[in-house]
Amino acid sequence: DAKTTQPTSMDCAEGRAANLPCNHSTISGNEYVYWYRQIHSQGPQYIIHGLKNNETNEMASLIITEDRKSSTLILPHATLRDTAVYYCIVRLFSSNTGKLIFGQGTTLQVKP
Amino acid sequence: SAVISQKPSRDICQRGTSLTIQCQVDSQVTMMFWYRQQPGQSLTLIATANQGSEATYESGFVIDKFPISRPNLTFSTLTVSNMSPEDSSIYLCSVGPGHSYEQYFGPGTRLTVT
């Protein structure tokens, strides 16, 4: 699975959009981008995933560049409860192993 | 989504002893995973446990230290053997795949070894 690079930490004002970048320059054509987050003292939670098209669900939007070498997770209206560590992970969609390999992630601090 | 419970939620153990952590899922799942999260660190995969076969361990983890059982499609255990303070971590059970091949995580077991 391809390696990802994320900023160590970011701040965001409550009510504003939080934009979390991720670089995955070695991504291959059949690898998807997954985002998870881990709120303090809880297990990680799935947020969204995508291949090459932009994706949106009730939690967030995922914007993937045309060359697929980077992506941005967007939380449109961040709340204090969105304070967490956000992990960008690249993996095969139908991987038989199914395992997720976590990097260091981005610690997002939402401030009032 | 799958609902996962772990027991115990936390424990304090003495060095040299062993602790078995249980993971129970509310539905049958193909794959179960065990992760370790050391203080202030990210998650590290210990092993993958599929029912009916031996667990597959990641580099740096061995069966003698972390024996795993997977007796059926809803249950697994991880034992942390001959513990040392370096084993103090949160141990998380995870299951998959979901319909989008996502994984679901349990709440974790916080282990402190003194």
Side-chain angles (χ1 to χ4, degrees):
Chain A
D1 296 329
K3 181 180 173 59
T4 63
T5 304
Q6 298 177 251
T8 302
S9 63
M10 295 181 63
D11 290 341
C12 177
E14 187 178 20
R16 304 297 293 270
N19 297 281
L20 292 90
C22 179
N23 287 322
H24 30 78
S25 58
T26 61
I27 192 170
S28 63
N30 56 354
E31 288 182 314
Y32 283 65
V33 180
Y34 280 78
W35 282 83
Y36 283 74
R37 73 179 182 183
Q38 186 176 26
I39 296 171
H40 183 62
S41 298
Q42 298 182 21
Q45 175 191 24
Y46 165 81
I47 300 173
I48 198 168
H49 76 282
L51 180 63
K52 55 183 179 180
N53 296 321
N54 298 337
E55 302 289 344
T56 296
N57 63 20
E58 64 279 4
M59 290 182 65
S61 294
L62 175 60
I63 308 298
I64 302 174
T65 59
E66 191 170 346
D67 64 7
R68 302 211 320 122
K69 293 184 177 181
S70 65
S71 60
T72 301
L73 178 74
I74 301 173
L75 307 178
H77 305 288
T79 71
L80 298 178
R81 288 175 294 181
D82 291 321
T83 293
V85 180
Y86 287 77
Y87 297 100
C88 169
I89 301 169
V90 172
R91 55 166 283 211
L92 294 172
F93 181 76
S94 59
S95 170
N96 290 331
T97 67
K99 60 185 181 183
L100 291 173
I101 305 300
F102 287 80
Q104 292 306 306
T106 297
T107 299
L108 175 68
Q109 181 73 47
V110 180
K111 298 185 175 183
Chain B
S1 64
V3 177
I4 305 168
S5 60
Q6 288 185 231
K7 291 182 180 179
S9 58
R10 59 178 62 227
D11 207 342
I12 301 173
C13 301
Q14 292 192 346
R15 68 172 66 209
T17 63
S18 298
L19 176 72
T20 295
I21 302 168
Q22 299 179 6
C23 176
Q24 180 74 52
V25 191
D26 68 343
S27 58
Q28 294 184 340
V29 293
T30 305
M31 299 180 183
M32 298 184 80
F33 309 89
W34 287 97
Y35 288 82
R36 180 177 73 181
Q37 188 169 28
Q38 295 175 300
Q41 301 298 312
S42 182
L43 286 79
T44 301
L45 181 64
I46 298 172
T48 302
N50 293 332
Q51 196 267 336
S53 62
E54 289 194 7
T56 302
Y57 289 83
E58 298 296 308
S59 176
F61 297 95
V62 296
I63 187 172
D64 290 346
K65 176 68 175 177
F66 298 100
I68 289 171
S69 76
R70 179 80 198 273
N72 57 52
L73 292 174
T74 63
F75 187 79
S76 177
T77 66
L78 169 76
T79 299
V80 185
S81 303
N82 188 25
M83 288 183 286
S84 67
E86 292 71 35
D87 294 320
S88 297
S89 297
I90 298 173
Y91 292 86
L92 297 112
C93 170
S94 176
V95 304
H99 71 279
S100 296
Y101 286 86
E102 72 267 37
Q103 285 180 219
Y104 305 105
F105 287 81
T109 295
R110 184 179 296 272
L111 171 62
T112 302
V113 184
T114 60

